[in-house]
Amino acid sequence: MGDMVIVRKEGLYCVPGQFYIDPWRPVDRAVITHAHGDHARWGHKHYLASQQSVGILKSRLGQDINIEGLEYGDKVVHNGVTISLHPAGHVLGSAQVRMEHQGEIWVASGDYKVEPDATCAPFEAVRCHTFITESTFGLPIYRWDPQQEVFDDINRWWRRNADEGRTSILYAYAFGKAQRLLCGLDPSVGPIVCHGAVEPLNRIYREGGVVLPHTQLVSETDKTDLKKALVLAPPSASGSPWTRRFGDYSDAFASGWMLLRGARRRRGVDRGFVLSDHADWPGLLDAIHATGAQQVIVTHGSIPVMVRWLCQIGLDAKAFDTEYGEEDDEAVTATPGEPVEEAKDA
């Protein structure tokens, strides 16, 4: 039996099932792992995704897309391949794709993290023969601090700015990262203001049962209150006319790339907070081990290092060349080989 999943010019293709996983060109049948723009694209004739991600996909790709929602763990059969979706812990609705055909089981991870997150279902290790894994942060230097420590650091920065009458602007990807940050903010410090690109996604999260603190738009906030506010905005808002309305402000960026020396400098922000919705090096290795897979296929990220390491520990590892990239406006011009910051800001 040949490989169940191969790479075609359209994307990852399940050969016996005759469908694609997160294809980057229009196809007849697409199984979508999550709604970030590098994985969910417009133009497919039929979409299959987790039930939790249907609303987000419709909001981003159009209300009229032909989409079928599948609850985690439920199964559908297509051309003899049994498909089920399982939590990936990346963002709301993110899913791993389990494919079973003639006793062989493959799992495509999509993007994932193993650290618990109040805004989405936790990562579920799915036993399989072959595991297709991302490796966005697939280098040993990437090791995340516990998220509560990061949240505490952000709240201290916000409180200090509020005491000094200075607006705090925190740049983060509008879908997923912003809502995760909201769950870690301390609303007693001041009002939480969201950019117009963030607030509609907050509503979708709330409709999905995720508890978020009260948020408001700039237009709903008094100028005096803005001096104590934390403003959540997408990275694309940095340096735009939209930010000038805040006068004296301190800004920060939340991303896993902030672990790299120089990434914050190139962003031109006052602070960098290391918080990623992708697994770090230990998380990747733990997830791979938990699947029990003997064959591992590595996609987007630090592919050569990850493949070499997996081969050294006795697994059959190889790579897929894909077109997945940065999550829309979260892109950071950071070089993976850069050294880690030697000291954190106070």
Side-chain angles (χ1 to χ4, degrees), residues 187-202:
S188 69
V189 178
I192 301 172
V193 177
C194 287
H195 186 278
V198 176
E199 190 61 21
L201 289 158
N202 293 344

Side-chain angles (χ1 to χ4, degrees), residues 278-300:
H278 296 264
D280 60 4
W281 174 261
L284 289 167
L285 296 182
D286 287 348
I288 292 168
H289 176 74
T291 67
Q294 288 302 301
Q295 177 173 249
V296 180
I297 302 174
V298 183
T299 67
H300 55 298

Side-chain angles (χ1 to χ4, degrees), residues 153 156-157 160 264 269-273 341 343-346:
D153 202 14
R156 282 192 294 269
W157 166 74
R160 184 165 60 245
R264 186 187 69 188
V269 293
D270 299 324
R271 289 292 306 268
F273 297 107
E341 290 285 358
K344 297 180 182 178
D345 293 326

